[in-house]
Amino acid sequence: GEGNLAIVARKESYEGLNYTSGRIKTQEKFEATYGRYEARMKLPWGQGLWPAFWMLGNDIDSVGWPQCGEIDIMEYRGQEPSLVHGTLHGPGYSGGESIGSSYSLTAARFDTDFHIFAVEWDPAGIHWFVDDHHYLSLDSEDVTGEWTYDHPFFILLNLAVGGNYVGSPNQYTTFPQTMLIDYVRVYQDID
């Protein structure tokens, strides 16, 4: 069909804040261990926009973050429209100590067309892809703390505005801004 999911950030007052946006998560609805997780998306552009396609361990409510593990399939700074990042956050390697890499388009931008962002995750490690270009692999040897990627995770999709990672919007950031999602797919081996 023609339909896309649109997560829209708007400049409007809400409960004392200056912007509204959205987040979708599959916690307690879809949680899985291993497989290929991918989404085909078109990202927004502008300083202070922070779209992400990511996963958290489903034990977050009992063990907390970062012990639960976080897999950032795709993070993007709106002011860098040709660059995305793939990252792991876990115990001993979270926040500014996270472990990952970035992927840069050549003569193209993530806000002008749809692109496919994916990880392939199995007991041996996690592999990151953009449009089927493999750009990063991490396993237990690569992290500086415990490897916590052997249990179910849930999926999140969101469009944040502001924050330390991207900074605040500036006078050139227009609103509304849209993170446009064509699909999210998960492929798993059937035993």
Side-chain angles (χ1 to χ4, degrees):
E2 297 291 309
N4 292 141
L5 170 65
I7 298 180
V8 180
R10 295 183 171 88
K11 188 172 185 174
E12 60 184 358
S13 295
Y14 181 76
E15 294 188 353
L17 300 173
N18 297 319
Y19 302 94
T20 61
S21 188
R23 179 178 75 173
I24 292 173
K25 61 180 183 174
T26 67
Q27 189 173 17
E28 296 179 3
K29 293 176 173 64
F30 177 85
E31 301 176 348
T33 310
Y34 309 137
R36 177 180 167 93
Y37 298 73
E38 70 173 41
R40 183 173 183 267
M41 298 184 286
K42 185 174 169 183
L43 303 179
W45 173 79
Q47 161 82 37
L49 300 172
W50 182 6
F53 170 37
W54 51 302
M55 301 170 69
L56 285 168
N58 71 341
D59 55 353
I60 187 168
D61 291 338
S62 56
V63 304
W65 182 93
Q67 182 65 41
C68 62
E70 174 179 329
I71 303 168
D72 296 331
I73 304 170
M74 183 284 303
E75 281 188 292
Y76 163 96
R77 292 179 172 103
Q79 58 266 48
E80 299 173 335
S82 298
L83 194 66
V84 292
H85 307 269
T87 314
L88 291 182
H89 299 262
Y93 51 98
S94 63
E97 307 296 314
S98 61
I99 297 171
S101 188
S102 58
Y103 179 84
S104 184
L105 291 174
T106 306
R109 294 164 55 130
F110 290 107
D111 64 314
T112 55
D113 210 343
F114 283 88
H115 294 272
I116 297 170
F117 307 96
V119 290
E120 294 181 3
W121 169 33
D122 61 44
I126 305 171
H127 310 277
W128 280 256
F129 301 84
V130 174
D131 299 326
D132 291 325
H133 300 286
H134 172 233
Y135 73 95
L136 173 64
S137 290
L138 295 172
D139 62 36
S140 59
E141 303 296 306
D142 298 309
V143 300
T144 52
E146 185 187 348
W147 181 259
T148 57
Y149 307 94
D150 52 5
H151 66 279
F153 276 58
F154 59 89
I155 299 168
L156 302 97
L157 286 160
N158 66 276
L159 173 52
V161 179
N164 292 339
Y165 190 70
V166 293
S168 297
N170 63 20
Q171 69 269 31
Y172 305 110
T173 310
T174 59
F175 287 90
Q177 289 278 354
T178 301
M179 178 181 183
L180 204 56
I181 300 147
D182 180 26
Y183 63 74
V184 178
R185 294 176 182 164
V186 177
Y187 300 86
Q188 292 184 293
D189 293 328
I190 304 300
D191 295 329

